[in-house]
């Protein structure tokens, strides 16, 4: 298989650097710095130390026996990214990028956030390393995720509500890029998913690969073989690519990305980029995008703020087109059912994002044999979502009564 | 067809201005704000105000190089589901009404890509455009686009920024039409001051470019335009004009023809007042 990305940041036809000229040198500087440090023993040692002693890695690969029995198919394992410091996989990436920012001599960092998880993870590492931090968050999301807004403030970050466009993650990304254009000389942009212009999709993937690398060792130790299928939720695609990447060369391991179908892929309220989108240029790279005929980007919808995004990382687009991974939609309602099921069978409340992966595992698992192995990437924990779930249920209740 | 194209209207205008010692005034307007018909009238008004060429901006859902004023204009236009081809149509309607200055399209890359690059540049050529500016298409990504633009006799006008540094040379030396110099770090929008090194920056671009150089992003007054006039061949004014359109909306959307004409005259007078006076 071809090594991707190539030197232009291309994953096949996807990826690249489609940004205003003002940012080009900043991206080139970032790429140079990353290439200089990515194999540097001191840099890697610092990242590894923080992942272990600060975030608590390695995260367990837990055999979910009761869930497995409930499904009645394969042995289901959960990669417990929810047990990371700050409650999701996002910290793997922010630790890597913050250590890089420090080496580059930057004292200020900015980040975009949807669910608030990446914002919290950025605010956390900024506090840890004494960096000034601004987080851009859609005004709609600041309402959906008040707890995370408060957390970021406690951590000393400034949260800037974004009032433009759809007031969700997509516009938070635009606003972060706009701010970066104006302050590019002294500010490092910690991008939170495997999206955006090169080198971000590659760099974020590399920092998230620790998920897949650990899983590989852990499943070999537990079962003496690789899993038959791996399932992960896909917003921009960082937890999924981190999990998938070390297995891409293993043809026997099925890779399944789960995107948010919201109220259904046949409605206008979903975030099913792969199912309903087509290739285009959005926020710095060529990839699948939810867009209308004229190339205007469409608003996305999902019960989970972290999947509520009309784009997806270029490497996923590539894996889809070469048919190495498949991407399937799960609705709000299915995700919520799965969240409750996992909570009751295993005592683990997953993030709404991760619940999409659990819901797909119920479907995929049904057609798998008992001696097969299925791994779910449990990207985060559900504490942050309790309020949205309450609200969703109240609305559904109201809907029934009408 | 392509071999027949020997002159481009942008080149002709700059040649003429060079003789007369004038600096080009290049307004920017968002098409379809508030509607297509008004856009045609505003383009006519810009020419009447003394504009030498004009940038016709395509509304886009994610205008990441633009500040709040142009973002709001985009949102207003998109409410009417204005498409790229509708906007191109404004140019041909303005021509029918006698507008003679060169047209430059300003669009983010995705709408052009979705239309198909061949079709996009074909339509530009058929509808009397002379140039295209695509702010999210840096030179690393523009090879195919530039080749197609050249074939249709459309100048693909590149941007350079104060942060371009070593890139200035490469960008400016392969530019056609003119080089669009971004006056300051940041998105479009009015500013009270420019990047501190603007003089040195423009001198660097001037040295590397074999085509005219124009300055944009943040120019909102005649004083600013005049302060730059000696160092460049043209000034581009966007947000200030789009803001004037926004302020004039109650008139521009009026059913009453007199009120509407009053709104258009207000924008025309605003543009006329921006025009740098001849220097030297
Ligand atoms: C727990 C969790 N999982 C998944 C995601 C989706 O992001 P990605 O696709 O980059 O992993 C998010 C984003 O906020 C998240 O918080």
């Amino acid at each position: 298989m071809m090594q991707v990305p190539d030197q232009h940041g291309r994953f096949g036809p996807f990826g690249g650097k489609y940004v205003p000229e003002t940012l080009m040198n900043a991206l080139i500087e970032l790429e140079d710095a990353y290439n200089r440090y990515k194999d540097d023993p001191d840099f890697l040692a610092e990242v590894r130390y923080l992942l272990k002693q600060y975030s608590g890695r390695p995260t367990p690969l837990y055999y979910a026996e009761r869930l497995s029995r409930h499904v009645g198919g394969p042995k289901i394992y959960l990669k417990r990214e929810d047990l990371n410091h700050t409650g999701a996989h996002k910290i793997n990436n922010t630790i890597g990028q913050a250590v890089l920012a420090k080496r580059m001599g930057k004292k200020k960092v900015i980040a975009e956030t949807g669910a608030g998880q990446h914002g919290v993870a950025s605010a956390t590492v900024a506090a840890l390393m004494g960096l000034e931090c601004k987080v851009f968050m859609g005004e709609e999301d600041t309402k959906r995720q008040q707890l995370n807004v408060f957390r970021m403030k406690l951590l000393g970050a400034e949260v800037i509500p974004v009032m433009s466009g759809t007031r969700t993650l997509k516009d938070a990304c635009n606003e972060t890029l706009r701010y970066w254009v104006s302050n590019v000389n002294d500010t490092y942009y910690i991008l939170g998913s495997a999206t955006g212009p090169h080198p971000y999709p590659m760099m974020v993937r590399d920092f998230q690969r620790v998920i897949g690398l650990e899983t590989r060792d852990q499943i070999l130790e537990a079962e003496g073989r690789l899993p038959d299928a791996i399932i992960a939720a896909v917003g921009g695609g960082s937890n999924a690519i981190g999990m998938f990447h070390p297995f891409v060369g293993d043809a026997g391991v099925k890779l399944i990305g789960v995107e948010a179908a919201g109220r259904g892929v046949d409605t206008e309220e979903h975030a099913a980029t792969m199912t309903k989108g087509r290739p285009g240029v959005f926020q710095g790279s060529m990839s699948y995008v939810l867009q209308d005929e004229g190339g205007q980007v469409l608003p996305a919808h999902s019960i989970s703020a972290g999947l509520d995004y009309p784009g997806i990382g270029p490497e996923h687009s590539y894996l889809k087109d070469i048919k190495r991974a498949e991407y399937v939609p799960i609705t709000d309602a299915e995700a919520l059912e799965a969240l409750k099921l996992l909570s009751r069978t295993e005592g683990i409340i997953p993030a709404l994002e991760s619940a999409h992966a659990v819901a797909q595992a119920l479907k995929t698992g049904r057609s798998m044999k008992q001696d097969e192995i299925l791994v779910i990437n449990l990207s985060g924990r559900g504490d942050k979502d309790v309020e949205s779930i309450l609200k969703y249920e109240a609305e559904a209740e109201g809907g029934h009564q009408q | 067809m392509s071999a027949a194209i020997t002159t481009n209207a942008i080149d002709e205008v700059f040649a003429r201005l060079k003789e007369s010692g004038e600096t080009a005034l290049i307004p920017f307007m968002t098409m379809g704000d508030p509607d297509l018909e008004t856009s045609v009238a505003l383009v006519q008004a810009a020419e009447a105000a003394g504009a030498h060429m004009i940038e016709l901006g395509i509304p886009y859902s994610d205008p990441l190089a633009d500040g709040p004023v142009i973002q709001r204009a985009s949102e207003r236009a998109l409410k009417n589901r204005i498409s790229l081809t509708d906007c191109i149509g404004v140019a041909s309607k303005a021509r029918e009404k006698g507008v003679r200055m060169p047209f430059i399209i300003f669009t983010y890359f995705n709408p052009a890509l979705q239309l198909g690059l061949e079709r996009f540049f074909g339509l530009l050529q058929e509808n009397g455009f002379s140039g295209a500016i695509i702010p999210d298409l840096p030179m690393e990504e523009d090879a195919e686009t530039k080749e197609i633009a050249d074939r249709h006799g459309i100048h693909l006008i590149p941007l350079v920024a104060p942060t371009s540094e070593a890139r200035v040379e490469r960008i400016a030396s392969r530019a056609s039409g003119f080089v669009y110099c971004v006056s300051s770090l940041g998105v479009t929008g009015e500013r009270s001051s420019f990047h501190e090194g603007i003089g040195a920056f423009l001198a660097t671009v001037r040295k590397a470019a074999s085509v005219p150089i124009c300055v944009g992003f943040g120019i909102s007054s005649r004083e600013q335009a005049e302060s730059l006039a000696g160092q460049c061949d043209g000034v581009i004014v966007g947000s200030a004009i789009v803001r004037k359109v926004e302020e004039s909306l109650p008139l521009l959307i009026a059913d009453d023809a007199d009120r509407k004409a009053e709104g258009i005259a207000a924008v025309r007078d605003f543009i006329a007042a921006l025009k740098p006076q001849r220097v030297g």
Side-chain angles (χ1 to χ4, degrees), chain A residues 246-263:
Chain A
F247 295 95
V248 164
D250 302 297
V253 182
K254 252 177 111 165
L255 305 174
I256 304 168
V258 186
E259 51 183 18
R263 296 182 207 274

Side-chain angles (χ1 to χ4, degrees), chain B residues 97-143:
Chain B
K97 297 197 180 244
V99 173
R100 300 176 56 185
M101 64 183 163
F103 295 139
I104 299 164
I105 200 158
F106 180 105
T107 181
Y108 288 86
F109 189 46
N110 199 46
L113 187 67
Q114 298 304 322
L115 191 62
L117 294 176
E118 275 295 341
R119 177 139 181 252
F120 173 63
F121 285 104
L123 282 173
L124 292 185
Q125 185 179 20
E126 282 165 31
N127 289 276
F129 280 83
S130 305
I133 298 171
I134 307 179
D136 55 349
L137 192 69
M139 65 176 162
E140 280 80 353
E141 308 291 355
D142 77 0

